[in-house]
Amino acid sequence: MQTLLTWAGRIALVAVLLVCLQGALDPLYDAARWAPPHDAVMHVIYGYLLTVLSILALPKVKPWTIGGVFIALGVGLEAAQALGWVSGTFQLKDLAANLGGVVAALAPMALARRKGR
């Protein structure tokens, strides 16, 4: 599993470096074209903040449990929207953004755990 994580990290690093290099060298680069929609950014921010603040507020609860609860709540909310039980519309990008925020909050802990071994 460690090897898989290491190689996944290397592949992600190379991909981000290539995107950064392309943006830095392209004279016609349009940053606005790549900007995510405001709604998706808010979902990432809320997922991140809710996870981090819950971890701080509930020190006896495992961070992974808190992350799982917020992922389940995000899925539940989107499902309720799809069924018409609450206002809003189901959007896969919102679900992905919620997941992204939770993962961004938990990733440093996972990396620290991995480094500690």
Side-chain angles (χ1 to χ4, degrees):
M1 186 65 165
Q2 292 289 359
T3 304
L4 176 66
L5 289 174
T6 300
W7 278 103
R10 289 175 182 164
I11 291 167
L13 174 63
V14 169
V16 171
L17 285 172
L18 289 174
V19 170
C20 291
L21 183 63
Q22 187 271 335
L25 298 178
D26 183 2
L28 302 176
Y29 181 74
D30 180 14
R33 186 179 91 197
W34 294 101
H38 298 299
D39 181 51
V41 173
M42 291 306 297
H43 279 269
V44 170
I45 291 169
Y46 289 148
Y48 179 84
L49 288 175
L50 287 169
T51 304
V52 168
L53 295 174
S54 295
I55 290 168
L56 291 173
L58 305 167
K60 293 185 179 183
V61 180
K62 292 182 181 179
W64 316 111
T65 302
I66 291 171
V69 166
F70 281 120
I71 290 170
L73 286 173
V75 169
L77 177 61
E78 290 300 319
Q81 288 176 340
L83 295 170
W85 295 347
V86 296
S87 66
T89 57
F90 170 80
Q91 294 182 325
L92 193 56
K93 71 175 178 65
D94 288 348
L95 194 55
N98 291 337
L99 177 63
V102 172
V103 168
L106 294 176
M109 286 179 258
L111 291 173
R113 239 176 111 186
R114 182 173 175 248
K115 285 287 190 182
R117 289 182 184 169

